[in-house]
Amino acid sequence: MACDNSPMTLGRWEDLSADILWKILDCFDNTSESDDSSSAKGKVNCSAVCKKWRSTLCDPRLWNTLDLSTMKSHFIKTLDKPYVYVCSRSEMALSRALKISLSLSQRNITTLIFNLQLYVPNDLFIYTAERCPNLKRLVMPSWNKIEINGIRKAIGCWKGLESLTIGNIEWTEFLFLLKAISNNCKIFSELKLIGARNPTCNLALELVKYLPNLKVLSLRCSMFVKEALTTMLDGLQNLQVLNVSHCLVLAEIPQRGQDVVIVRELDRSVVHKASRLRRFITCMHMQDDDSSCVMCMRNRNDEGIVRWYRYEEGLWKEDEVKSLAV
């Protein structure tokens, strides 16, 4: 590139034109799985450049979504609750990203996305909930460090919650969560359970009991008994979309000492019940041949609970239902 001998004029960051500044800030919404970055961390760092940048970052249009989907905790597993130890540096980074983002957003966040391998302390989870009263969609972090009181206080803040994605969660916490949603979130309509593993009908019965108005349900890469599928189709009368792709469906509740029988193809009665839905998404290709579905094989090999950390980065974000994909 040719250059002349004219003197170079260096401007100040605060003198950057509004259009260029907007382009810089907007680029942080394009997160990458190749590093530990996130749109939230990028915006937080930009807010420290100067007063003008921080002032611009208070624009509510920049904060419809708080995306921490690529931010992970550095941890080691332990034998006692909460079964993980998260290093202090990792917790400090999460606390800084959340608190500054929540301050800049000025309660305008409507979508909050956590990584499944992000361990959020109970008090920080409650702090976040109190500052996102207009939340409509939530993709939950790991539940290890979130307590019952954290669930209660958070759901109590989110009266307008419509969509929830959750990973592996203990049965006690899950029941409490369903009750809290039923009592507080009157327009709740979408639920995704990542890797739900319930070989009985309990899960289906509780969903019908507490979320009868559910419209969209994804059990992608889960394990359940065929009777549970029938229970959901019969009981969730407002259901429009059901995703059971790559699921491990058992013929019956397994008994001690008996071999587990996997359903290879849904029978006509189930297909007939599902015909009333707008979309019924299935994929049950688990034969040991070249036509097998990779995700179905992985779910079977992992015995109904996919170990996401073994596979491609960000694989847990995918879903055949567009509104539930991250």
Side-chain angles (χ1 to χ4, degrees):
M1 181 175 65
C3 61
D4 54 29
N5 295 322
S6 59
M8 182 183 296
T9 301
L10 298 177
R12 299 178 300 174
W13 285 112
E14 56 264 37
D15 294 332
L16 195 65
S17 71
D19 291 340
I20 296 178
L21 178 55
W22 262 95
K23 288 182 179 180
I24 292 175
L25 299 178
D26 184 60
C27 76
F28 289 107
D29 286 327
N30 300 317
T31 57
S32 171
E33 295 290 349
S34 61
D35 53 29
D36 192 27
S37 65
S38 71
S39 62
K41 289 176 66 175
K43 291 175 183 176
V44 165
N45 292 334
C46 284
S47 70
V49 173
C50 62
K51 290 182 178 180
K52 180 180 178 181
W53 282 43
R54 185 178 181 87
S55 176
T56 302
L57 277 164
C58 289
D59 191 321
R61 292 174 296 175
L62 292 170
W63 293 102
N64 290 327
T65 299
L66 177 56
D67 187 352
L68 293 167
S69 63
T70 60
M71 189 176 187
K72 303 177 186 177
S73 297
H74 298 288
F75 66 94
I76 57 174
K77 294 184 178 181
T78 62
L79 296 177
D80 301 318
K81 277 194 172 185
Y83 306 116
V84 291
Y85 171 78
V86 181
C87 73
S88 57
R89 182 178 179 182
S90 185
E91 287 199 334
M92 288 175 62
L94 172 61
S95 179
R96 177 177 180 268
L98 265 178
K99 289 183 176 180
I100 295 179
S101 295
L102 293 171
S103 175
L104 293 170
S105 66
Q106 301 181 74
R107 302 178 176 242
N108 287 295
I109 295 171
T110 57
T111 298
L112 178 56
I113 303 173
F114 289 104
N115 191 297
L116 287 185
Q117 296 183 40
L118 195 58
Y119 294 91
V120 181
N122 191 63
D123 56 345
L124 186 58
F125 184 66
I126 296 173
Y127 177 91
T128 301
E130 292 172 343
R131 285 153 182 81
C132 298
N134 301 311
L135 200 67
K136 294 182 179 180
R137 184 189 180 192
L138 173 66
V139 178
M140 279 294 303
S142 171
W143 285 87
N144 293 56
K145 305 189 75 174
I146 299 175
E147 302 169 1
I148 291 292
N149 74 306
I151 297 175
R152 182 180 65 252
K153 291 182 179 180
I155 298 300
C157 295
W158 295 324
K159 303 294 185 181
L161 189 66
E162 300 176 12
S163 175
L164 176 66
T165 297
I166 55 178
N168 299 326
I169 178 175
E170 292 187 6
W171 184 246
T172 303
E173 280 80 0
F174 182 65
L175 280 180
F176 196 92
L177 173 66
L178 290 182
K179 294 176 184 178
I181 292 175
S182 178
N183 293 331
N184 293 278
C185 311
K186 301 305 179 183
I187 59 174
F188 188 82
S189 61
E190 293 188 346
L191 176 65
K192 178 178 180 178
L193 301 178
I194 300 178
R197 192 175 188 271
N198 193 279
T200 69
C201 283
N202 292 341
L203 172 64
L205 290 171
E206 299 301 337
L207 285 175
V208 171
K209 179 179 179 180
Y210 291 108
L211 301 179
N213 297 318
L214 201 62
K215 295 181 180 179
V216 179
L217 174 62
S218 177
L219 298 173
R220 188 178 194 269
C221 300
S222 298
M223 184 186 79
F224 50 84
V225 69
K226 187 181 73 172
E227 185 181 347
L229 183 57
T230 302
T231 299
M232 289 184 288
L233 289 171
D234 286 338
L236 298 173
Q237 291 298 311
N238 294 309
L239 196 64
Q240 299 175 8
V241 178
L242 176 59
N243 184 9
V244 291
S245 58
H246 322 305
C247 285
L248 199 62
V249 183
L250 308 183
E252 56 186 12
I253 299 174
Q255 302 296 324
R256 182 176 296 180
Q258 292 183 350
D259 293 333
V260 174
V261 179
I262 300 175
V263 175
R264 300 290 180 176
E265 184 178 359
L266 297 176
D267 57 41
R268 291 183 179 181
S269 63
V270 174
V271 175
H272 176 71
K273 291 177 184 294
S275 63
R276 69 173 178 84
L277 303 178
R278 180 162 54 86
R279 289 187 69 195
F280 180 50
I281 309 166
T282 64
C283 181
M284 303 173 67
H285 301 293
M286 293 178 288
Q287 303 294 336
D288 296 319
D289 55 42
D290 293 337
S291 64
S292 298
C293 169
V294 173
M295 285 309 303
C296 286
M297 291 295 295
R298 287 172 173 174
N299 195 20
R300 188 183 70 173
N301 293 337
D302 290 341
E303 299 180 334
I305 178 168
V306 177
R307 274 67 171 179
W308 301 101
Y309 59 86
R310 295 179 178 177
Y311 309 115
E312 299 89 336
E313 193 73 37
L315 186 63
W316 63 271
K317 297 181 181 182
E318 297 181 5
D319 201 286
E320 288 73 16
V321 182
K322 186 177 180 179
S323 62
L324 291 174
V326 177

